[in-house]
Structure formats: C-alpha cells, structure tokens
Amino acid sequence: MIKQILNKLPRKSSSKSVHNDERSNELDSAVVNSTGVSDKVSKLSLTVKSKSKSNVDSVPASYEALPSFRIVSSSEKHNLFIKKLNMCCVVFDFNEPEKNVKEKDVKKQTLLELVDYVSSVNSKFNEVTIQEITKMVAANLFRALPNLNHENKAVDLYDQEDDEFFMDPSWPHLQIVYEFLLRFVASPETNAKLAKRYVDHSFVLRLLDLFDSEDQREREYLKTILHRIYGKFMVHRPFIRKAVNNIFYHFMFESEKHNGIAQLLEVLGSIVNGFALPLKDEHKLFLAHVLIPLHKPKCLSMYHQQLVYCVCQFVEKDAKLADTVVRGLLKYWPVTSSSKEVMFLGELEEILEVTQAAEFEKFMAPLFGRIGQCINSSHFQVAERALFLWNNEHIRNLTTQNRKVILPIIFSPLEKNTHGHWNQAVQSLTLNVRKIFSDADQSTFQDCLVKYQEDETKEKENIAKRQSTWNRLDAMAVAKTKPMVVSTSATITTTVATSTTAETASTVKQSTGGR
C-alpha cells in the first residue's frame, strides 16, 4: 500500500528523489520478506503493466525463481502457475548477451516448468487462467520484427534462398513460449468456447503478422500453431481464411516480399484437403483469385511446391476445375524466365495426372499450342521438360486418344527439333515422342507429314519471293540515288536559250501596251 502511494508521487531529478527511491527499495524488500512469494510476483506484475510503449520491460530489483510445482501441494499449484505466468511477462533484451544473464536463466527455467505443467494438467483452464496465459504469450511473441536483408533490395532481385539464414538471438526463450502456446491450444483441457474470448481476431491477426519473420524456425512453429487454432476454434475459420487471403493480396499486388508464403500455403493445403463436397463458391473464388495469380511473382520458387499441392487438391476434389487451372496457368505463363517455364511444365504434369479425359478435351488445343512452343525452345531444359511429359503414362494415353487434334498442333515443332535442334538429348527425346504418335496412328502421322512438307515448300517459295522483292527494291533505290552528270556545253546552251526566251517575252509585252 505504501509503495503504491509513493509511486503516485511526482518524481524529480534531485537528491530528494534519490532518497525516496532508496526508501522505496527498502519498503519493497520489507514487503517481500513479510509476505513472501505472493507479493514478489505482484510487484513483477505491476512492473509489466507500467511498461506500455516498449516490449522490453525494466527488470525488477529482485527477479528470483519461484518454487517448483513438485514441492507445493495440489491446491497451491494453480496460484503458483499464475504467479509464474506473471513472472514470465518480463521481456529481456537479447541483443546484449552479457546483460541480465542470471535473470534470463531464471525465466528460461520458469518457462520450461510452465510447458510441463500445461502438458500434465488434468483440470479445465478457467477464464482467469486463459487470460493470464494469453497475456504472457502476447508479451513475449508480439513484437516488431527485424527487416535485415531486403529493405533496400529491388523486387526483381529479392530471393530468400540467396540470403543468409537469420537466427533470432531471443530464440532460446521464444521457442519455449511457442511450445507453451502450442501445447495450450492442443490441450484437451482448453475450452474453445471460453478461450475464444482471448484467442480472438486481434490475437490471430498479430499471430499472422509474425509469419513474416526472418527466422525459419519461428515460421515453422507458427504454421503448426495456426493449423491447431483453425482446427480447434471453428468460429474463427472464415476470419482466418480471409486474413490469409489479404496477406496474399498484399504480397501479389503490392510488395512481392514476404517470408511466410510457403508456410501459409502449407496450412491452406491441409485446409483445402478438408473441404467438404460440393465445393462452396467461396473456395472456388479463392482458387481463381488467389492461388492462380500466385504464379505471377518472380520469387515463385520460394513456395511453388506448396502452391502446386493446393492447386492439385482442388482439381482432385472437383474435376471441372482443371479447365480453370490450366487456362489460368496459360494466362500467367512466363515468356522471359526459363526456370519458371520448367516449374510450370512440372506443375502441368501433376495437374494432368489427376485430370479426367472429358475435362482434358476442353483445353487441350491451347495447352498443346504452348507446349509446342516449349518443345521448340532454344533452352534445352525447357525443351526436355516439355518432352518428358510423354514419359507419364496417363498423359501419354490422353494425347494418343486425342491424337487427331494434338498431333497437327505439335507435329511442326517435333519435325523442326528432329532436324535442327542444337542439343542431342532434345533430338533423341523428340524422336521418341514422334515414334509414339507414329505407332499410334500411322495414317494421321503421314497426313501431318505431307502437310508439313507442303507448308515447308510454300514457306520456302514465300521466302524466295520476299527475297526477290527486296532485291528489286534495293536495285530501284540504288538507281534513284545515283548522281546525274551534266556537260558544261549543255549548261551554256540552256542558259542562252532561257535568256532569249525572256527577251522575246519582254518585247511582245511592250508592243501590246502591257495588255
């Protein structure tokens, strides 16, 4: 009581204030000695609440370990649990390793005890306990994230794989807090209806903000915790999906910089896998407006594997979505990045593998128009990856069944590769694909060959005509720009004739009176 009155008094930088501080410390010591552990923790709680503008709290004068759960009675464990939670609300500065070493060790040991307690508790958490748990978690986890490696980096140069692996210096404590939160959410003693008041929308949003952390270990914990929250708190599911969509929109259309896209897609992959059939319009819009446009950013390689899994889940659940997916890929097909083309071709193989024949017929013409261009690519990896599609038995069956449409589209690229591609491996693969169609339908193959030869002949004739026209135009241009040579006598004769004509005209004008 005396301490609270003293804290309300205005403090001045004078000798009197120093004296008051010393007296206050003496009073604090007396309170601790007289009331024991309970008042000590109350003092820690007051310290935490008084710090509102910074995540790093000032360390109390006496920060000592509380008794272990093993040496107190069962009736006292709950109160001790609350006291330990309040004690762990103090946040230390890990950028200075030599500062508060003893206090950091005490907090770490206390956090480990809290994790064990949450794992072994056999009674439901009441509302006060849940409130204290979320307060401790928020004090330790919700913080400003450092932006180390791409603050001044251009978007087209941003590639997380090229940057050094960042390790948060405060991870020894953060890891235990994440483990504590994970076990609390997963615990059967956590009542979702009661906990949703504190694990609310604001809590979820701040948790999602942490996905942009530079530390991969933190993102992995967040991925697991978000998935558990989505599974336990059903009331939050629409909000979580919407919030994650907003992160994707900001990433695609504004920044193209985010560290946690892959982990968020992993969570969504599990969510999509659990969608009930028939799919809701909301989920189909998510595929069309979020997943497909996610193929556009230049850093696609960071999360492509997770993205492919999500897309394939949609196609497996609803075969009619194959047309939407393939046409979306063709819309965002890369034209200047061979590495992205290889990724797109690999994704196409996985999508076609789960595509039914009836849906395949809807988009096969534009699809194999693009594949034909890839077959003719001068980049051997793109050409190889396109020709590898026929190594897949399902795709080979789809193409041979629809050979009358597909073969005329890709026959010209195949023939050009056979006779003119610089890479020997590409030529061998081309001959294998050519043989597949030849064995499947010799008559169609011969028709395509005859047409190809006719087209080649016409093309050569057109080239010859164009060359002849250009030669004729060049000759005409040379003739028009050739300088004319005029003799001196011709110039004199022309001058005399012009002079005589002028004099005659003047005489006639005078004789007629100017009429």
Side-chain angles (χ1 to χ4, degrees):
M1 186 67 180
I2 296 174
K3 178 187 173 184
Q4 294 177 355
I5 295 173
L6 290 174
N7 285 338
K8 293 181 180 179
L9 294 176
R11 296 177 180 272
K12 297 181 181 179
S13 57
S14 63
S15 59
K16 185 177 181 179
S17 66
V18 174
H19 177 71
N20 288 338
D21 289 341
E22 293 175 354
R23 184 178 179 183
S24 177
N25 291 335
E26 292 175 359
L27 289 172
D28 290 343
S29 177
V31 170
V32 170
N33 293 332
S34 62
T35 61
V37 175
S38 177
D39 289 327
K40 184 194 304 181
V41 177
S42 298
K43 185 175 67 175
L44 291 176
S45 178
L46 287 172
T47 305
V48 173
K49 292 178 181 178
S50 65
K51 196 74 174 180
S52 60
K53 295 184 180 180
S54 174
N55 284 338
V56 180
D57 296 315
S58 58
V59 182
S62 56
Y63 191 92
E64 298 177 359
L66 296 175
S68 173
F69 287 109
R70 291 175 293 183
I71 64 175
V72 298
S73 63
S74 300
S75 60
E76 297 177 353
K77 284 185 178 180
H78 179 264
N79 290 334
L80 182 59
F81 179 65
I82 299 297
K83 295 171 186 177
K84 288 180 180 288
L85 286 173
N86 288 328
M87 183 178 179
C88 291
C89 287
V90 179
V91 180
F92 297 98
D93 185 5
F94 282 83
N95 292 318
E96 300 180 15
E98 299 178 356
K99 185 177 180 181
N100 303 121
V101 177
K102 179 181 176 182
E103 289 80 0
K104 290 175 183 176
D105 290 338
V106 170
K107 181 182 177 182
K108 183 176 181 180
Q109 185 61 37
T110 305
L111 286 170
L112 291 171
E113 292 177 4
L114 291 175
V115 171
D116 292 338
Y117 180 84
V118 170
S119 303
S120 60
V121 69
N122 53 9
S123 60
K124 296 289 183 181
F125 295 111
N126 59 31
E127 185 171 358
V128 175
T129 305
I130 295 174
Q131 183 179 10
E132 294 299 323
I133 287 173
T134 53
K135 184 183 75 173
M136 188 275 287
V137 169
N140 284 274
L141 299 186
F142 300 154
R143 67 205 190 280
L145 296 173
N147 194 355
L148 301 179
N149 55 12
H150 51 263
E151 177 67 27
N152 299 317
K153 188 176 290 188
V155 174
D156 56 342
L157 298 179
Y158 172 63
D159 187 355
Q160 192 183 36
E161 296 178 356
D162 293 340
D163 300 319
E164 294 182 0
F165 183 75
F166 172 71
M167 301 181 71
D168 196 318
S170 60
W171 184 248
H173 283 193
L174 287 177
Q175 181 181 13
I176 308 174
V177 177
Y178 274 118
E179 186 66 30
F180 173 82
L181 177 58
L182 176 59
R183 298 197 184 191
F184 166 70
V185 173
S187 174
E189 307 302 333
T190 302
N191 188 341
K193 292 183 179 179
L194 191 61
K196 70 180 182 181
R197 302 176 188 174
Y198 303 97
V199 183
D200 55 4
H201 289 179
S202 175
F203 187 93
V204 172
L205 282 177
R206 298 183 73 181
L207 205 64
L208 288 173
D209 288 340
L210 296 174
F211 271 89
D212 200 18
S213 171
E214 301 276 352
D215 196 325
Q216 185 177 354
R217 301 168 299 180
E218 183 171 12
R219 298 197 302 271
E220 290 297 322
Y221 258 108
L222 286 165
K223 174 188 69 177
T224 307
I225 292 170
L226 179 63
H227 189 258
R228 293 297 180 90
I229 290 176
Y230 187 90
K232 196 177 191 81
F233 298 88
M234 297 182 65
V235 67
H236 290 340
R237 289 182 179 182
F239 176 80
I240 291 174
R241 293 197 300 268
K242 184 177 180 180
V244 172
N245 286 358
N246 290 337
I247 293 176
F248 288 145
Y249 288 140
H250 180 76
F251 167 71
M252 288 185 292
F253 303 118
E254 293 187 30
S255 67
E256 289 199 9
K257 297 177 183 177
H258 197 284
N259 294 299
I261 299 299
Q263 286 77 22
L264 288 171
L265 284 172
E266 283 189 52
V267 176
L268 286 173
S270 300
I271 293 173
V272 172
N273 191 27
F275 282 163
L277 296 176
L279 292 175
K280 297 179 181 179
D281 292 339
E282 172 199 350
H283 304 325
K284 295 179 182 179
L285 289 175
F286 167 69
L287 170 66
H289 294 169
V290 178
L291 293 184
I292 292 177
L294 271 173
H295 290 82
K296 184 179 180 181
K298 297 178 181 178
C299 52
L300 174 64
S301 59
M302 292 166 46
Y303 55 84
H304 185 249
Q305 182 180 356
Q306 294 83 359
L307 179 60
V308 172
Y309 178 78
C310 291
V311 171
C312 289
Q313 287 292 315
F314 271 100
V315 178
E316 287 182 4
K317 286 185 173 292
D318 189 349
K320 295 181 180 179
L321 293 175
D323 182 58
T324 302
V325 170
V326 172
R327 292 184 185 275
L329 289 180
L330 295 177
K331 176 182 177 181
Y332 292 103
W333 197 273
V335 293
T336 59
S337 175
S338 57
S339 60
K340 284 187 70 174
E341 276 194 286
V342 172
M343 286 189 286
F344 271 54
L345 289 166
E347 182 174 357
L348 272 178
E349 181 175 356
E350 296 193 37
I351 294 170
L352 292 177
E353 197 167 4
V354 295
T355 300
Q356 299 177 3
E359 299 302 321
F360 177 76
E361 295 174 1
K362 295 179 180 179
F363 55 80
M364 60 183 178
L367 172 62
F368 279 88
R370 172 59 68 179
I371 291 177
Q373 295 176 16
C374 294
I375 289 173
N376 268 157
S377 174
S378 58
H379 196 290
F380 77 97
Q381 290 180 335
V382 175
E384 274 186 340
R385 193 64 189 84
L387 293 164
F388 279 148
L389 291 174
W390 278 270
N391 290 345
N392 187 298
E393 184 178 358
H394 181 67
I395 297 176
R396 185 166 62 248
N397 292 336
L398 288 175
T399 54
T400 52
Q401 289 171 9
N402 298 276
R403 57 188 176 274
K404 294 187 181 297
V405 177
I406 295 175
L407 185 57
I409 297 174
I410 65 169
F411 190 86
S412 178
L414 290 174
E415 287 298 308
K416 289 179 180 178
N417 268 13
T418 303
H419 300 99
H421 201 281
W422 64 272
N423 188 273
Q424 188 63 40
V426 171
Q427 290 187 16
S428 300
L429 290 170
T430 303
L431 290 173
N432 293 338
V433 174
R434 192 173 179 272
K435 187 176 185 301
I436 290 173
F437 285 104
S438 175
D439 294 341
D441 192 342
Q442 184 64 36
S443 61
T444 303
F445 185 87
Q446 288 297 327
D447 292 341
C448 291
L449 180 59
V450 171
K451 187 177 183 303
Y452 172 77
Q453 292 173 347
E454 291 176 354
D455 291 341
E456 285 293 301
T457 303
K458 290 180 181 178
E459 182 64 23
K460 290 178 181 179
E461 292 176 355
N462 290 334
I463 292 174
K465 289 180 181 179
R466 284 197 299 270
Q467 188 60 43
S468 176
T469 302
W470 280 113
N471 292 338
R472 188 169 64 256
L473 290 173
D474 287 341
M476 293 172 62
V478 170
K480 285 185 177 182
T481 57
K482 186 177 181 180
M484 296 181 65
V485 180
V486 182
S487 63
T488 305
S489 58
T491 304
I492 295 173
T493 304
T494 302
T495 304
V496 172
T498 303
S499 176
T500 304
T501 303
E503 290 177 358
T504 304
S506 176
T507 303
V508 172
K509 185 175 181 181
Q510 290 176 2
S511 64
T512 58
R515 293 192 298 273

